[in-house]
Amino acid sequence: MSADLLYGITGLMLFCLGLAALFTRAEMLRKILALNIGGSGIFLLMISIAYDPTGGEPDSVLHALVLTGIVITVSITGFALALAGREQETGDGGQGAEEQEEQEEPGGESSR
Amino acid sequence: MPQSGVTNQVTAVLLNFRSFDTLLELAVLLLAVVGVWSLGRSAGAPAGVAVNPILLTMLRGILPLAILIAGYLVWLGEHAPGGAFQGGAVLGAAGILLALAGRPLPDFCPPWLLRATLSGGLLVFLGLAAVPLGLDRFFFQYPVGWAGAFILAIEAAAAISIGLALCLLPDGGAPATVQQQRRFGKAAGLAHKGSAAPGCFPEPAALLNGCEPLNQQAIAPPDEQLQASKRRLPAAGQQR
């Protein structure tokens, strides 16, 4: 098994793990963590796709996209954590669904 | 590729061929900070950490080094993996260390300076991207021969903004106002600014209690803690 294939499969598995946890776990913190793990899986997959097995230069567009994705993920994670912390303080459980939709966006963007 | 002004492919893609991507990325990071700040400061959040002299002394060595490394990474982005985001991450880590040592940036930076620095990266990027418009070229179409200088200027400004945004994001709310800091200082009986007693660690209880008056007696003085740990040590030895 070649190295890039191994990285790609690992990335896919991480994405599936994150996706499963995102849907099955109720706690907001776990959801945010799951989103980060799933996103990292996508980044790993994209980096392994960018790799050129013939030894040439890797695809720099994908590298740039991953770099963008990481920054977006950090931004959204920071904002989501602040929101989740505030939600826990006020004890308002009715906003969970809205928050989750908001968090879906970066994953979709980075997987494009 | 040679027209991009830089020899590193990823930097060329990020700051020349696909500049809009990076521009909006900076905007998203800024929006995240604005969003967090718009939540205000929660009533339960502590307004600060006690000054930690040990960490501060260590930071005297680390901070200049971190700034040097950040500058090097930005410069490195021209021909090797590196650039504004990597440099910004180092700056952000330095800022978080400062906050952990009890000297968060909002404490000694005036608010207008914080805001100007936060938005500076985006504004410099927009301004330099608009310069070609005056030269009868398209947005982002840098003048031939100047692309490298433009990219380096954008990256330097962006790195500082990114670093500041990254170290303000984990705070989880708007920076505490001066009034809140004073209230916290009085309530907790902690010397928040300036003279901290030697060996005054940020007490976890002060963080957990938030704005509630801190019960000073609940925390054992350093001497008692030392004796307690000494008492525990021989016991651990006997078990072995």
Side-chain angles (χ1 to χ4, degrees):
Chain A
M1 185 186 280
S2 60
D4 55 329
L5 196 61
L6 186 66
Y7 277 104
I9 291 173
T10 311
L12 264 181
M13 278 168 61
L14 275 177
F15 174 68
C16 292
L17 277 177
L19 204 64
L22 184 68
F23 289 143
T24 54
R25 304 289 166 161
E27 301 95 333
M28 205 46 70
L29 188 61
R30 282 178 198 268
K31 276 187 193 290
I32 295 172
L33 273 178
L35 201 85
N36 270 275
I37 290 173
S40 305
I42 290 287
F43 298 151
L44 200 55
L45 183 65
M46 285 171 76
I47 291 292
S48 71
I49 290 173
Y51 176 71
D52 186 359
T54 58
E57 293 264 353
D59 186 354
S60 46
V61 173
L62 279 175
H63 278 244
L65 278 181
V66 168
L67 206 52
T68 305
I70 290 172
V71 176
I72 304 290
T73 308
V74 167
S75 312
I76 295 294
T77 304
F79 188 50
L81 281 176
L83 274 183
R86 200 53 53 88
E87 187 202 350
Q88 202 177 24
E89 259 171 35
T90 54
D92 183 11
Q95 292 174 349
E98 284 170 34
E99 236 180 66
Q100 194 188 327
E101 274 173 20
E102 231 166 90
Q103 291 166 26
E104 284 283 8
E105 280 172 29
E109 231 166 70
S110 56
S111 59
R112 239 179 267 150
Chain B
M1 202 42 219
Q3 289 176 357
S4 69
V6 288
T7 48
N8 181 21
Q9 285 194 359
V10 177
T11 308
V13 169
L14 273 177
L15 285 151
N16 205 329
F17 304 136
R18 282 177 174 247
S19 305
F20 259 116
D21 201 48
T22 314
L23 181 72
L24 295 180
E25 180 181 355
L26 287 178
V28 168
L29 193 59
L30 184 63
L31 269 180
V33 175
V34 171
V36 168
W37 281 16
S38 73
L39 293 175
R41 184 119 209 130
S42 71
V49 182
V51 173
N52 183 338
I54 296 176
L55 199 49
L56 266 187
T57 310
M58 201 176 79
L59 272 177
R60 286 208 181 95
I62 290 180
L63 266 189
L65 202 63
I67 293 171
L68 197 68
I69 290 174
Y72 172 69
L73 280 175
V74 170
W75 172 79
L76 194 70
E78 192 266 325
H79 59 270
F85 296 101
Q86 290 84 341
V90 174
L91 285 181
I96 290 175
L97 271 180
L98 259 181
L100 286 178
R103 295 236 184 254
L105 277 173
D107 261 24
F108 51 86
C109 274
W112 62 266
L113 187 62
L114 277 186
R115 278 150 214 237
T117 316
L118 264 179
S119 49
L122 193 63
L123 292 181
V124 167
F125 204 154
L126 268 179
L128 284 180
V131 163
L133 286 179
L135 302 170
D136 248 5
R137 300 168 77 92
F138 294 114
F139 202 60
F140 280 130
Q141 199 182 12
Y142 305 129
V144 180
W146 281 85
F150 271 55
I151 288 176
L152 199 62
I154 290 171
E155 289 223 78
I160 297 172
S161 287
I162 293 165
L164 189 61
L166 286 183
C167 79
L168 290 179
L169 258 186
D171 202 24
T177 57
V178 177
Q179 288 86 13
Q180 281 171 329
Q181 284 170 6
R182 286 212 188 106
R183 216 180 306 141
F184 172 76
K186 262 186 215 158
L190 291 170
H192 182 51
K193 287 194 173 186
S195 60
C200 170
F201 296 100
E203 287 132 330
L207 290 175
L208 292 174
N209 284 355
C211 282
E212 287 169 26
L214 185 67
N215 189 354
Q216 290 283 357
Q217 279 85 33
I219 298 165
D223 287 349
E224 285 182 24
Q225 282 179 355
L226 200 66
Q227 283 168 2
S229 63
K230 272 181 189 162
R231 258 179 265 132
R232 249 176 276 134
L233 272 177
Q238 282 164 6
Q239 280 173 357
R240 270 184 238 140

